[in-house]
Amino acid sequence: VVLDEVERRRGISAALVYPFMRSLMESPFPAPGKTIKVKTFLPGAGNEVLELRRPMDSRLEHVDFECLFTCLSVRQLIRIFASLLLERRVIFVADKLSTLSSCSHAVVALLYPFSWQHTFIPVLPASMIDIVCCPTPFLVGLLSSSLPKLKELPVEEALMVNLGSDRFIRQMDDEDTLLPRKLQAALEQALERKNELISQDSDSDSDDECNTLNGLVSEVFIRFFVETVGHYSLFLTQSEKGERAFQREAFRKSVASKSIRRFLEVFMESQMFAGFIQDRELRKCRAKGLFEQRVEQYLEELPDTEQSGMNKFLRGLGNKMKFLHKKN
């Protein structure tokens, strides 16, 4: 928003940029989720009040999930998400650099609270295209002009995604079976009905960010992780020396759902999961991010939420979405 306003003023006169930036710098920096008002003047428009809202979750300040839904259907997006979760090789192909960059950063943001641990090149220069022959996991973006060369290379098993046509150029054919079935269906339903959920929430007095696309999509994927690994803290034990250790097998076996246990068997072997647990084992104090907040709520609910699947998932997204279960 700020850059748009700067550009708007620069288009009239460069002299208008400085007063705007000074006014902005004199305003207090907003706390997460809060809004500040900046008074500005623009010739022809007069005095204006610009409202700037800082996201509740600072991870999303430079991420735009809109690009994913512009380029991909919900089903394709979930298949890509599943492939990245299991640390496979993924190649995005698009006509524009901005599409490659936006979609690559957005899809990696869906993995929160986990972090992509492997090669990540949102825009791979044509001169470095041989990197796609690498046998280790990666997420890279290529311009469409490199597609003929890409098809000639001896690329190992990889998911190749054409962002311009919502098609897979190449796939492994098992992408629909990687996630727990009921949770995948719940993910799909929540994302298919995202506009409905956003408009419902914007009518409420809710303080949180589910009335924005970024906020809602973030909460939907966080809920997936809460349902699959939200009980991890119950299996972090502490020795007399204060060292923490994760009880892997007890953690996995404690899950009632067979499909989630099967998913965890594979996911727990990933570097993403190993990095996440190692970070928690080494921390002096408990993590306090958005994921931990949702986990805390989830663990409090646990005795009352023996039901599984769609309704439990949607209920977990918050009271503002209760209308969804009434319709199901």
Side-chain angles (χ1 to χ4, degrees), residues 133-152:
C133 299
C134 174
T136 55
F138 57 70
L139 171 58
V140 301
L142 282 172
L143 286 172
S144 302
S145 53
S146 298
L147 195 51
K149 172 70 173 166
L150 176 65
K151 289 180 176 177
E152 289 173 11

Side-chain angles (χ1 to χ4, degrees), residues 66-80:
E66 182 70 51
C67 62
L68 293 176
F69 296 101
T70 301
C71 297
L72 298 163
S73 64
V74 166
R75 184 156 290 182
Q76 296 286 70
L77 176 58
I78 291 173
R79 288 167 175 158
I80 296 166

Side-chain angles (χ1 to χ4, degrees), residues 75-88 90 107 110-111 116 159 174-180 184 187 221 224 263 266-267 272:
R75 184 156 290 182
Q76 296 286 70
L77 176 58
I78 291 173
R79 288 167 175 158
I80 296 166
F81 169 71
S83 299
L84 289 174
L85 260 194
L86 300 194
E87 298 184 330
R88 293 183 169 186
V90 177
V107 81
L110 297 179
L111 301 173
W116 181 251
L159 179 64
D174 65 349
E175 287 83 3
D176 280 326
T177 64
L178 304 179
L179 302 181
Q184 179 164 325
L187 258 183
F221 282 92
F224 171 85
F263 165 74
V266 183
F267 182 54
M272 255 188 294

